[in-house]
Amino acid sequence: MTVNTLSNEQRVENLLQWLLNEHTKSVISDKINVQESKESGRGLYAKEDINAHTPIIKIDHSYLLNFTTIVAHISSWNPSSSLPDTYKHIKLPPKGKEDEVTDLYKKLTLNDLTRLSSFQIMAMFLVLEKSRGSDSWWEPFINMLPLMDDFLRSPFIWKVQGKDDLFKQLPRSTRNHATRMATKFSNDYETVLKLLKDQNAPESMLPYDDFLLYWMCINSRCLYMEMPQKKTTDDNFTMAPYVDFINHSSTDQCVLKIDRSGFNVITSNLYKQGEELFLSYGPHSNEFLLCEYGFYLPRNEWNDLDISDEIIDTLNPDQIDYLKEHHYFGDYTLNHENVSFRTDVALAVYQEKQNLHSNKRLNALLNGVSDGSYYKRRSNQLLIRILQKLKSKYENFLPLEFNDDDDMKVVGVLHRERVDLIDLYLEKLTQ
Protein backbone atom coordinates (compact mmCIF):
# COMPACT_ATOMS: atom_id res chain seq x y z
CA MET A 1 0.00 0.00 0.00
CA THR A 2 1.35 3.40 -0.97
CA VAL A 3 2.37 5.53 2.00
CA ASN A 4 0.75 8.98 2.05
CA THR A 5 3.37 11.63 2.80
CA LEU A 6 0.96 14.60 3.04
CA SER A 7 0.42 16.24 6.42
CA ASN A 8 -2.92 15.82 8.17
CA GLU A 9 -3.68 19.49 7.55
CA GLN A 10 -3.05 19.16 3.80
CA ARG A 11 -5.15 15.99 3.55
CA VAL A 12 -8.06 17.71 5.32
CA GLU A 13 -7.72 20.69 2.98
CA ASN A 14 -7.71 18.39 -0.06
CA LEU A 15 -10.83 16.68 1.24
CA LEU A 16 -12.61 20.01 1.69
CA GLN A 17 -11.65 21.16 -1.79
CA TRP A 18 -12.97 17.89 -3.20
CA LEU A 19 -16.26 18.10 -1.29
CA LEU A 20 -16.95 21.83 -1.66
CA ASN A 21 -16.77 22.57 -5.35
CA GLU A 22 -19.17 24.22 -7.77
CA HIS A 23 -20.60 20.86 -8.87
CA THR A 24 -21.72 19.63 -5.46
CA LYS A 25 -24.50 20.33 -2.97
CA SER A 26 -22.20 19.53 -0.03
CA VAL A 27 -22.08 22.12 2.76
CA ILE A 28 -19.81 22.23 5.80
CA SER A 29 -20.37 24.86 8.46
CA ASP A 30 -17.56 27.34 9.08
CA LYS A 31 -18.32 26.89 12.79
CA ILE A 32 -16.54 23.51 12.91
CA ASN A 33 -13.08 22.20 12.07
CA VAL A 34 -10.95 19.07 12.34
CA GLN A 35 -8.49 18.78 15.23
CA GLU A 36 -6.25 16.08 16.69
CA SER A 37 -6.16 15.13 20.36
CA LYS A 38 -4.26 12.49 22.36
CA GLU A 39 -7.48 11.27 23.97
CA SER A 40 -9.71 10.68 20.94
CA GLY A 41 -7.44 11.16 17.92
CA ARG A 42 -8.93 13.08 15.01
CA GLY A 43 -12.30 14.70 15.68
CA LEU A 44 -14.61 17.62 14.89
CA TYR A 45 -14.62 20.64 17.18
CA ALA A 46 -16.67 23.81 17.55
CA LYS A 47 -14.75 26.92 16.41
CA GLU A 48 -17.44 29.03 18.09
CA ASP A 49 -20.62 28.45 20.09
CA ILE A 50 -23.16 26.34 18.15
CA ASN A 51 -26.81 26.21 19.15
CA ALA A 52 -28.80 23.00 19.31
CA HIS A 53 -30.73 22.05 16.15
CA THR A 54 -28.14 23.71 13.89
CA PRO A 55 -27.32 22.05 10.54
CA ILE A 56 -23.53 21.68 10.36
CA ILE A 57 -22.79 19.17 7.57
CA LYS A 58 -24.46 18.14 4.32
CA ILE A 59 -22.74 15.64 2.01
CA ASP A 60 -24.01 15.34 -1.57
CA HIS A 61 -25.26 11.82 -2.40
CA SER A 62 -22.68 11.52 -5.19
CA TYR A 63 -19.88 11.94 -2.61
CA LEU A 64 -21.13 9.19 -0.32
CA LEU A 65 -19.38 5.83 -0.68
CA ASN A 66 -21.91 3.02 -0.76
CA PHE A 67 -23.25 0.23 -2.95
CA THR A 68 -25.10 2.65 -5.22
CA THR A 69 -22.24 5.07 -5.92
CA ILE A 70 -19.72 2.26 -6.40
CA VAL A 71 -21.88 0.39 -8.93
CA ALA A 72 -22.40 3.66 -10.81
CA HIS A 73 -18.66 4.39 -10.90
CA ILE A 74 -17.58 0.88 -11.92
CA SER A 75 -20.35 0.51 -14.52
CA SER A 76 -19.40 3.82 -16.15
CA TRP A 77 -16.33 2.04 -17.54
CA ASN A 78 -18.40 -0.78 -19.06
CA PRO A 79 -19.94 0.40 -22.37
CA SER A 80 -22.41 -2.49 -22.37
CA SER A 81 -23.73 -1.69 -18.89
CA SER A 82 -27.18 -0.09 -18.61
CA LEU A 83 -28.16 0.88 -15.08
CA PRO A 84 -31.70 1.05 -13.65
CA ASP A 85 -33.14 4.40 -12.61
CA THR A 86 -32.11 3.87 -8.96
CA TYR A 87 -28.53 4.72 -10.01
CA LYS A 88 -29.28 7.69 -12.26
CA HIS A 89 -29.07 10.38 -9.53
CA ILE A 90 -25.35 9.73 -9.04
CA LYS A 91 -23.29 12.40 -10.82
CA LEU A 92 -20.10 10.93 -12.25
CA PRO A 93 -16.80 12.80 -12.76
CA PRO A 94 -14.77 12.58 -15.98
CA LYS A 95 -13.34 9.05 -16.32
CA GLY A 96 -9.69 10.05 -16.33
CA LYS A 97 -6.74 7.76 -16.95
CA GLU A 98 -7.24 4.09 -17.80
CA ASP A 99 -5.19 1.41 -16.06
CA GLU A 100 -5.25 -2.19 -14.85
CA VAL A 101 -8.10 -1.42 -12.46
CA THR A 102 -10.32 0.23 -15.05
CA ASP A 103 -9.63 -2.70 -17.39
CA LEU A 104 -11.16 -4.90 -14.68
CA TYR A 105 -14.12 -2.53 -14.28
CA LYS A 106 -14.86 -2.87 -18.02
CA LYS A 107 -15.36 -6.62 -17.53
CA LEU A 108 -17.64 -6.45 -14.48
CA THR A 109 -21.33 -6.66 -15.30
CA LEU A 110 -24.20 -5.34 -13.22
CA ASN A 111 -25.04 -8.95 -12.38
CA ASP A 112 -21.47 -9.50 -11.08
CA LEU A 113 -21.68 -6.43 -8.86
CA THR A 114 -25.16 -6.95 -7.45
CA ARG A 115 -24.16 -10.41 -6.22
CA LEU A 116 -21.72 -8.75 -3.83
CA SER A 117 -22.79 -7.51 -0.42
CA SER A 118 -22.23 -3.87 0.48
CA PHE A 119 -19.26 -4.86 2.63
CA GLN A 120 -17.68 -6.86 -0.17
CA ILE A 121 -18.06 -4.30 -2.94
CA MET A 122 -16.97 -1.39 -0.75
CA ALA A 123 -13.84 -3.12 0.55
CA MET A 124 -12.95 -4.26 -2.97
CA PHE A 125 -13.50 -0.77 -4.40
CA LEU A 126 -11.39 0.94 -1.73
CA VAL A 127 -8.49 -1.46 -2.30
CA LEU A 128 -8.64 -1.02 -6.06
CA GLU A 129 -9.07 2.77 -5.97
CA LYS A 130 -6.26 3.16 -3.43
CA SER A 131 -3.93 1.38 -5.86
CA ARG A 132 -4.79 3.99 -8.53
CA GLY A 133 -3.38 6.82 -6.41
CA SER A 134 -4.00 10.27 -7.83
CA ASP A 135 -5.84 8.76 -10.81
CA SER A 136 -8.72 7.89 -8.49
CA TRP A 137 -11.45 10.50 -8.08
CA TRP A 138 -11.92 9.16 -4.54
CA GLU A 139 -8.30 9.82 -3.49
CA PRO A 140 -9.05 12.78 -1.14
CA PHE A 141 -11.50 10.61 0.82
CA ILE A 142 -9.33 7.49 0.81
CA ASN A 143 -6.33 9.48 2.08
CA MET A 144 -8.32 10.48 5.19
CA LEU A 145 -9.23 6.93 6.21
CA PRO A 146 -7.52 5.41 9.26
CA LEU A 147 -4.41 3.24 9.10
CA MET A 148 -4.12 -0.19 10.69
CA ASP A 149 -2.46 1.36 13.76
CA ASP A 150 -5.89 2.78 14.67
CA PHE A 151 -7.37 -0.72 14.96
CA LEU A 152 -4.60 -2.68 16.69
CA ARG A 153 -6.54 -2.81 19.98
CA SER A 154 -9.36 -4.77 18.35
CA PRO A 155 -9.55 -8.46 19.37
CA PHE A 156 -10.83 -9.14 15.85
CA ILE A 157 -7.49 -7.93 14.48
CA TRP A 158 -5.67 -10.12 17.01
CA LYS A 159 -7.67 -13.07 15.74
CA VAL A 160 -6.97 -12.61 12.04
CA GLN A 161 -3.32 -11.72 12.68
CA GLY A 162 -2.81 -14.96 14.61
CA LYS A 163 -1.95 -13.43 18.01
CA ASP A 164 -3.10 -16.64 19.71
CA ASP A 165 -1.30 -16.15 23.05
CA LEU A 166 -3.01 -12.80 23.49
CA PHE A 167 -6.36 -13.86 22.07
CA LYS A 168 -6.81 -16.87 24.37
CA GLN A 169 -6.59 -14.62 27.46
CA LEU A 170 -9.70 -12.70 26.48
CA PRO A 171 -13.08 -13.45 28.07
CA ARG A 172 -14.88 -16.19 26.18
CA SER A 173 -17.68 -13.91 24.94
CA THR A 174 -15.08 -11.50 23.50
CA ARG A 175 -13.35 -14.37 21.71
CA ASN A 176 -16.72 -15.50 20.32
CA HIS A 177 -17.52 -12.00 19.06
CA ALA A 178 -14.13 -11.59 17.38
CA THR A 179 -14.36 -15.07 15.86
CA ARG A 180 -17.74 -14.28 14.29
CA MET A 181 -16.23 -11.14 12.77
CA ALA A 182 -13.23 -13.11 11.48
CA THR A 183 -15.51 -15.64 9.82
CA LYS A 184 -17.46 -12.88 8.07
CA PHE A 185 -14.26 -11.14 6.99
CA SER A 186 -12.79 -14.34 5.55
CA ASN A 187 -15.98 -15.02 3.61
CA ASP A 188 -15.96 -11.47 2.21
CA TYR A 189 -12.33 -11.70 1.16
CA GLU A 190 -12.72 -15.10 -0.51
CA THR A 191 -15.88 -13.98 -2.32
CA VAL A 192 -14.20 -10.91 -3.80
CA LEU A 193 -11.04 -12.83 -4.62
CA LYS A 194 -13.09 -15.38 -6.56
CA LEU A 195 -14.79 -12.61 -8.52
CA LEU A 196 -11.40 -11.23 -9.55
CA LYS A 197 -10.10 -14.67 -10.48
CA ASP A 198 -13.21 -15.27 -12.59
CA GLN A 199 -12.23 -12.15 -14.56
CA ASN A 200 -8.63 -13.42 -14.90
CA ALA A 201 -7.42 -10.56 -12.70
CA PRO A 202 -4.22 -11.29 -10.70
CA GLU A 203 -4.61 -12.03 -7.00
CA SER A 204 -2.05 -9.29 -6.35
CA MET A 205 -4.76 -6.72 -7.12
CA LEU A 206 -6.43 -7.62 -3.81
CA PRO A 207 -3.72 -7.67 -1.10
CA TYR A 208 -5.00 -9.36 2.06
CA ASP A 209 -3.69 -6.67 4.43
CA ASP A 210 -5.24 -3.88 2.35
CA PHE A 211 -8.60 -5.64 2.25
CA LEU A 212 -8.41 -6.15 6.03
CA LEU A 213 -7.69 -2.46 6.63
CA TYR A 214 -10.53 -1.18 4.47
CA TRP A 215 -12.94 -3.84 5.76
CA MET A 216 -12.26 -2.49 9.25
CA CYS A 217 -12.57 1.12 8.05
CA ILE A 218 -16.02 0.28 6.67
CA ASN A 219 -17.01 -1.62 9.80
CA SER A 220 -15.98 1.22 12.09
CA ARG A 221 -17.25 4.16 10.02
CA CYS A 222 -20.38 3.07 8.18
CA LEU A 223 -23.67 4.84 8.91
CA TYR A 224 -27.19 3.61 8.28
CA MET A 225 -28.72 4.44 4.91
CA GLU A 226 -31.22 2.43 2.89
CA MET A 227 -29.91 0.89 -0.32
CA PRO A 228 -32.89 0.37 -2.68
CA GLN A 229 -30.92 -2.15 -4.77
CA LYS A 230 -30.27 -4.49 -1.82
CA LYS A 231 -32.69 -6.87 -0.14
CA THR A 232 -31.13 -7.28 3.33
CA THR A 233 -30.83 -4.70 6.10
CA ASP A 234 -27.16 -5.67 6.55
CA ASP A 235 -26.45 -3.89 3.24
CA ASN A 236 -28.12 -0.63 4.28
CA PHE A 237 -25.17 1.59 5.08
CA THR A 238 -22.88 4.23 3.64
CA MET A 239 -19.59 5.91 4.36
CA ALA A 240 -19.88 9.69 4.59
CA PRO A 241 -16.75 11.82 4.07
CA TYR A 242 -16.13 14.40 6.80
CA VAL A 243 -19.05 13.06 8.83
CA ASP A 244 -16.79 10.15 9.78
CA PHE A 245 -14.52 12.52 11.73
CA ILE A 246 -17.20 12.68 14.45
CA ASN A 247 -16.27 10.41 17.36
CA HIS A 248 -18.51 8.27 19.55
CA SER A 249 -20.30 9.19 22.74
CA SER A 250 -22.71 6.99 24.67
CA THR A 251 -25.35 9.74 24.37
CA ASP A 252 -26.68 11.44 21.24
CA GLN A 253 -25.20 14.89 20.67
CA CYS A 254 -25.81 15.15 16.92
CA VAL A 255 -28.50 13.62 14.76
CA LEU A 256 -28.39 12.34 11.18
CA LYS A 257 -30.97 13.02 8.50
CA ILE A 258 -31.00 11.76 4.92
CA ASP A 259 -33.04 13.52 2.25
CA ARG A 260 -32.80 14.23 -1.47
CA SER A 261 -30.17 16.91 -0.92
CA GLY A 262 -27.75 14.61 0.86
CA PHE A 263 -26.54 13.19 4.17
CA ASN A 264 -27.13 15.79 6.90
CA VAL A 265 -25.73 16.26 10.41
CA ILE A 266 -27.64 18.48 12.85
CA THR A 267 -26.64 19.31 16.42
CA SER A 268 -28.97 18.16 19.17
CA ASN A 269 -26.96 19.82 21.94
CA LEU A 270 -25.50 23.27 22.53
CA TYR A 271 -21.76 23.25 21.87
CA LYS A 272 -19.40 25.78 23.39
CA GLN A 273 -16.33 27.01 21.54
CA GLY A 274 -13.56 24.40 21.69
CA GLU A 275 -15.83 21.46 22.55
CA GLU A 276 -15.67 18.26 20.55
CA LEU A 277 -18.78 17.14 18.64
CA PHE A 278 -20.01 13.58 19.10
CA LEU A 279 -22.38 11.01 17.63
CA SER A 280 -23.75 7.96 19.40
CA TYR A 281 -22.93 4.76 17.53
CA GLY A 282 -25.55 3.02 19.65
CA PRO A 283 -25.93 1.48 23.14
CA HIS A 284 -22.83 -0.72 22.89
CA SER A 285 -20.68 -2.38 25.54
CA ASN A 286 -16.90 -1.96 25.59
CA GLU A 287 -16.56 -5.51 24.31
CA PHE A 288 -18.54 -4.50 21.21
CA LEU A 289 -16.68 -1.20 20.78
CA LEU A 290 -13.29 -2.92 21.02
CA CYS A 291 -14.09 -5.70 18.58
CA GLU A 292 -15.96 -3.57 16.04
CA TYR A 293 -14.15 -0.23 16.31
CA GLY A 294 -10.87 -0.78 18.15
CA PHE A 295 -11.51 1.50 21.15
CA TYR A 296 -13.35 1.49 24.48
CA LEU A 297 -14.82 4.08 26.85
CA PRO A 298 -13.34 4.60 30.35
CA ARG A 299 -16.89 4.62 31.74
CA ASN A 300 -19.54 2.87 29.72
CA GLU A 301 -23.09 2.63 31.04
CA TRP A 302 -23.91 0.02 28.38
CA ASN A 303 -21.49 -2.64 29.57
CA ASP A 304 -23.12 -6.03 30.01
CA LEU A 305 -22.08 -9.61 30.71
CA ASP A 306 -22.73 -12.43 28.27
CA ILE A 307 -23.36 -15.67 30.15
CA SER A 308 -24.71 -17.62 27.17
CA ASP A 309 -22.08 -20.35 27.25
CA GLU A 310 -22.41 -20.83 31.00
CA ILE A 311 -26.19 -21.25 30.80
CA ILE A 312 -26.08 -23.46 27.70
CA ASP A 313 -23.61 -25.76 29.47
CA THR A 314 -26.33 -26.53 32.06
CA LEU A 315 -29.03 -27.44 29.51
CA ASN A 316 -29.90 -30.87 28.14
CA PRO A 317 -30.54 -31.50 24.39
CA ASP A 318 -34.34 -31.29 24.75
CA GLN A 319 -34.09 -27.93 26.48
CA ILE A 320 -31.73 -26.62 23.81
CA ASP A 321 -34.08 -27.79 21.04
CA TYR A 322 -37.02 -26.11 22.77
CA LEU A 323 -35.18 -22.79 23.04
CA LYS A 324 -34.11 -22.96 19.39
CA GLU A 325 -37.66 -23.74 18.26
CA HIS A 326 -38.97 -20.71 20.13
CA HIS A 327 -36.08 -18.46 19.04
CA TYR A 328 -34.66 -18.02 22.52
CA PHE A 329 -31.37 -19.86 22.13
CA GLY A 330 -28.26 -17.87 23.03
CA ASP A 331 -27.58 -14.18 23.66
CA TYR A 332 -28.09 -14.44 27.43
CA THR A 333 -26.92 -11.22 29.07
CA LEU A 334 -27.21 -9.18 32.24
CA ASN A 335 -26.19 -5.71 33.32
CA HIS A 336 -25.75 -4.26 36.79
CA GLU A 337 -29.55 -3.87 37.18
CA ASN A 338 -31.23 -6.90 35.62
CA VAL A 339 -31.03 -9.86 33.29
CA SER A 340 -32.48 -9.87 29.79
CA PHE A 341 -35.82 -11.54 29.15
CA ARG A 342 -34.02 -14.10 26.99
CA THR A 343 -31.97 -15.02 30.05
CA ASP A 344 -35.11 -15.32 32.20
CA VAL A 345 -36.57 -17.71 29.63
CA ALA A 346 -33.44 -19.87 29.48
CA LEU A 347 -33.23 -20.10 33.26
CA ALA A 348 -36.90 -21.07 33.40
CA VAL A 349 -36.40 -23.78 30.77
CA TYR A 350 -33.46 -25.12 32.79
CA GLN A 351 -35.85 -25.74 35.69
CA GLU A 352 -38.38 -27.65 33.57
CA LYS A 353 -36.87 -31.05 32.83
CA GLN A 354 -39.67 -32.63 30.79
CA ASN A 355 -42.91 -32.00 28.85
CA LEU A 356 -41.61 -28.62 27.77
CA HIS A 357 -44.04 -28.03 24.90
CA SER A 358 -47.11 -28.69 27.02
CA ASN A 359 -45.85 -26.83 30.09
CA LYS A 360 -48.38 -24.14 30.98
CA ARG A 361 -45.94 -22.17 33.14
CA LEU A 362 -43.41 -21.87 30.34
CA ASN A 363 -46.06 -20.97 27.78
CA ALA A 364 -47.42 -18.28 30.09
CA LEU A 365 -43.94 -16.78 30.49
CA LEU A 366 -43.21 -16.80 26.75
CA ASN A 367 -46.61 -15.31 25.93
CA GLY A 368 -46.31 -12.53 28.49
CA VAL A 369 -49.17 -13.84 30.61
CA SER A 370 -46.86 -14.57 33.56
CA ASP A 371 -43.96 -12.50 34.95
CA GLY A 372 -42.03 -15.70 35.74
CA SER A 373 -42.06 -15.17 39.51
CA TYR A 374 -42.45 -18.93 39.98
CA TYR A 375 -38.92 -19.43 38.63
CA LYS A 376 -37.24 -16.45 40.27
CA ARG A 377 -35.76 -18.02 43.39
CA ARG A 378 -34.09 -20.95 41.63
CA SER A 379 -33.04 -18.74 38.72
CA ASN A 380 -31.26 -16.45 41.15
CA GLN A 381 -29.55 -19.40 42.80
CA LEU A 382 -28.21 -20.58 39.46
CA LEU A 383 -27.14 -17.06 38.55
CA ILE A 384 -25.22 -16.70 41.80
CA ARG A 385 -23.32 -19.94 41.13
CA ILE A 386 -22.53 -18.89 37.56
CA LEU A 387 -21.41 -15.39 38.55
CA GLN A 388 -19.26 -16.54 41.45
CA LYS A 389 -17.51 -19.05 39.20
CA LEU A 390 -16.95 -16.43 36.50
CA LYS A 391 -15.69 -13.88 39.01
CA SER A 392 -13.10 -16.32 40.32
CA LYS A 393 -11.89 -16.92 36.76
CA TYR A 394 -11.83 -13.25 35.76
CA GLU A 395 -9.93 -12.19 38.87
CA ASN A 396 -6.90 -14.16 37.68
CA PHE A 397 -6.51 -11.64 34.84
CA LEU A 398 -6.93 -8.40 36.83
CA PRO A 399 -3.17 -7.72 37.20
CA LEU A 400 -2.96 -7.41 33.40
CA GLU A 401 -4.68 -4.01 33.63
CA PHE A 402 -1.42 -2.63 35.00
CA ASN A 403 0.82 -4.38 32.47
CA ASP A 404 3.33 -2.30 30.48
CA ASP A 405 2.02 -3.86 27.27
CA ASP A 406 -1.01 -1.92 25.92
CA ASP A 407 -2.66 -5.05 24.51
CA MET A 408 -2.40 -6.81 27.85
CA LYS A 409 -3.96 -3.74 29.49
CA VAL A 410 -6.96 -4.12 27.20
CA VAL A 411 -7.36 -7.75 28.30
CA GLY A 412 -7.13 -6.68 31.94
CA VAL A 413 -9.72 -3.92 31.47
CA LEU A 414 -12.24 -6.34 29.94
CA HIS A 415 -11.87 -8.74 32.86
CA ARG A 416 -11.99 -5.97 35.48
CA GLU A 417 -15.20 -4.55 33.98
CA ARG A 418 -16.77 -8.00 34.27
CA VAL A 419 -15.74 -8.35 37.90
CA ASP A 420 -17.18 -4.91 38.69
CA LEU A 421 -20.47 -5.78 37.00
CA ILE A 422 -20.67 -9.16 38.75
CA ASP A 423 -20.08 -7.51 42.14
CA LEU A 424 -22.91 -5.05 41.52
CA TYR A 425 -25.32 -7.76 40.44
CA LEU A 426 -24.38 -10.16 43.22
CA GLU A 427 -25.01 -7.36 45.71
CA LYS A 428 -28.47 -6.92 44.18
CA LEU A 429 -29.20 -10.67 44.37
CA THR A 430 -28.07 -11.06 47.97
CA GLN A 431 -29.76 -7.99 49.45
Side-chain angles (χ1 to χ4, degrees):
M1 182 177 292
T2 304
V3 177
N4 193 314
T5 57
L6 295 176
S7 68
N8 284 332
E9 292 79 8
Q10 184 59 58
R11 285 186 287 157
V12 172
E13 182 60 31
N14 289 349
L15 180 70
L16 289 172
Q17 290 178 7
W18 177 67
L19 286 171
L20 305 176
N21 61 71
E22 66 273 19
H23 304 296
T24 176
K25 297 177 183 177
S26 297
V27 178
I28 295 175
S29 170
D30 57 8
K31 297 182 179 181
I32 59 176
N33 66 354
V34 179
Q35 296 181 30
E36 299 270 348
S37 76
K38 292 182 179 179
E39 293 76 21
S40 56
R42 188 186 297 134
L44 283 187
Y45 289 78
K47 293 168 61 177
E48 57 185 83
D49 292 356
I50 306 175
N51 292 327
H53 314 299
T54 300
I56 53 172
I57 302 173
K58 176 188 291 181
I59 304 299
D60 189 313
H61 280 284
S62 296
Y63 289 73
L64 300 173
L65 189 72
N66 52 50
F67 185 90
T68 305
T69 53
I70 291 171
V71 169
H73 274 255
I74 292 178
S75 297
S76 69
W77 290 93
N78 189 335
S80 65
S81 182
S82 177
L83 295 180
D85 289 343
T86 51
Y87 297 93
K88 297 298 175 64
H89 66 289
I90 301 302
K91 294 173 292 185
L92 298 170
K95 286 197 179 78
K97 182 180 176 181
E98 297 188 17
D99 52 29
E100 181 185 40
V101 172
T102 62
D103 288 343
L104 171 63
Y105 290 167
K106 292 175 185 179
K107 300 177 184 177
L108 295 172
T109 66
L110 181 60
N111 187 49
D112 291 329
L113 299 174
T114 53
R115 285 204 300 264
L116 297 176
S117 70
S118 289
F119 247 100
Q120 292 162 359
I121 198 171
M122 288 173 69
M124 176 190 76
F125 189 71
L126 284 169
V127 171
L128 295 174
E129 289 296 304
K130 176 64 177 180
S131 71
R132 301 185 68 212
S134 59
D135 292 322
S136 172
W137 183 76
W138 294 94
E139 184 190 33
F141 172 55
I142 294 173
N143 282 345
M144 290 307 308
L145 293 175
L147 301 176
M148 187 55 74
D149 286 350
D150 294 290
F151 303 122
L152 293 181
R153 297 288 84 80
S154 170
F156 157 65
I157 298 298
W158 301 350
K159 174 69 176 176
V160 297
Q161 291 183 341
K163 296 183 177 181
D164 296 337
D165 290 342
L166 184 62
F167 190 77
K168 68 183 181 183
Q169 298 187 72
L170 290 163
R172 181 158 61 168
S173 61
T174 311
R175 297 197 306 270
N176 291 343
H177 189 134
T179 299
R180 290 192 297 271
M181 290 179 67
T183 299
K184 182 179 184 299
F185 165 77
S186 296
N187 177 70
D188 288 346
Y189 179 72
E190 293 300 326
T191 299
V192 175
L193 192 60
K194 182 180 184 303
L195 174 64
L196 267 60
K197 288 179 178 178
D198 289 344
Q199 304 300 327
N200 296 316
E203 187 173 336
S204 59
M205 290 184 71
L206 196 74
Y208 180 89
D209 288 344
D210 291 6
F211 194 88
L212 175 62
L213 169 62
Y214 290 125
W215 194 94
M216 194 63 180
C217 286
I218 298 164
N219 195 66
S220 62
R221 290 173 174 259
C222 63
L223 298 162
Y224 181 83
M225 179 176 170
E226 288 188 9
M227 293 292 115
Q229 303 88 356
K230 304 302 288 183
K231 296 180 180 179
T232 65
T233 55
D234 290 344
D235 286 307
N236 286 337
F237 62 84
T238 189
M239 296 180 78
Y242 208 84
V243 177
D244 60 12
F245 291 144
I246 308 178
N247 288 314
H248 167 71
S249 169
S250 59
T251 57
D252 281 315
Q253 299 186 28
C254 290
V255 295
L256 306 177
K257 178 185 176 183
I258 302 168
D259 56 28
R260 287 188 174 185
S261 67
F263 197 102
N264 302 272
V265 182
I266 303 162
T267 60
S268 52
N269 286 4
L270 167 69
Y271 283 98
K272 292 293 187 180
Q273 181 181 359
E275 290 185 338
E276 183 175 3
L277 283 67
F278 290 100
L279 280 173
S280 173
Y281 300 171
H284 300 311
S285 68
N286 275 345
E287 174 178 280
F288 184 97
L289 295 176
L290 268 169
C291 289
E292 302 282 342
Y293 305 133
F295 72 88
Y296 65 92
L297 301 176
R299 292 176 297 279
N300 190 341
E301 63 181 296
W302 299 109
N303 280 341
D304 59 14
L305 180 65
D306 189 316
I307 55 174
S308 302
D309 291 321
E310 287 70 27
I311 291 180
I312 291 170
D313 287 346
T314 69
L315 303 174
N316 63 42
D318 288 341
Q319 292 168 331
I320 290 175
D321 289 342
Y322 177 86
L323 288 166
K324 288 181 177 179
E325 181 180 335
H326 290 81
H327 309 292
Y328 280 98
F329 183 72
D331 193 21
Y332 306 135
T333 60
L334 60 84
N335 56 35
H336 67 279
E337 293 183 346
N338 51 50
V339 301
S340 68
F341 181 68
R342 295 181 66 85
T343 307
D344 277 333
V345 170
L347 293 172
V349 170
Y350 163 77
Q351 297 174 45
E352 301 288 0
K353 303 300 183 184
Q354 55 188 356
N355 300 323
L356 297 175
H357 291 86
S358 60
N359 190 290
K360 293 181 179 180
R361 286 190 297 263
L362 273 183
N363 288 330
L365 176 62
L366 265 62
N367 293 325
V369 177
S370 164
D371 63 0
S373 56
Y374 171 84
Y375 299 106
K376 205 60 171 176
R377 183 179 65 83
R378 290 188 62 196
S379 291
N380 287 345
Q381 290 174 348
L382 178 59
L383 276 175
I384 289 172
R385 292 199 301 271
I386 288 174
L387 295 179
Q388 287 175 338
K389 184 177 179 180
L390 282 175
K391 179 181 177 181
S392 177
K393 182 166 62 174
Y394 293 149
E395 284 178 331
N396 294 326
F397 295 90
L398 295 186
L400 294 178
E401 188 177 1
F402 307 100
N403 197 287
D404 291 335
D405 182 275
D406 288 339
D407 290 341
M408 288 297 186
K409 287 181 181 178
V410 169
V411 176
V413 166
L414 288 172
H415 286 283
R416 188 258 303 157
E417 289 180 340
R418 282 158 171 73
V419 170
D420 291 346
L421 196 153
I422 287 172
D423 283 341
L424 286 170
Y425 200 77
L426 284 175
E427 182 179 353
K428 174 183 174 68
L429 288 178
T430 55
Q431 280 178 349

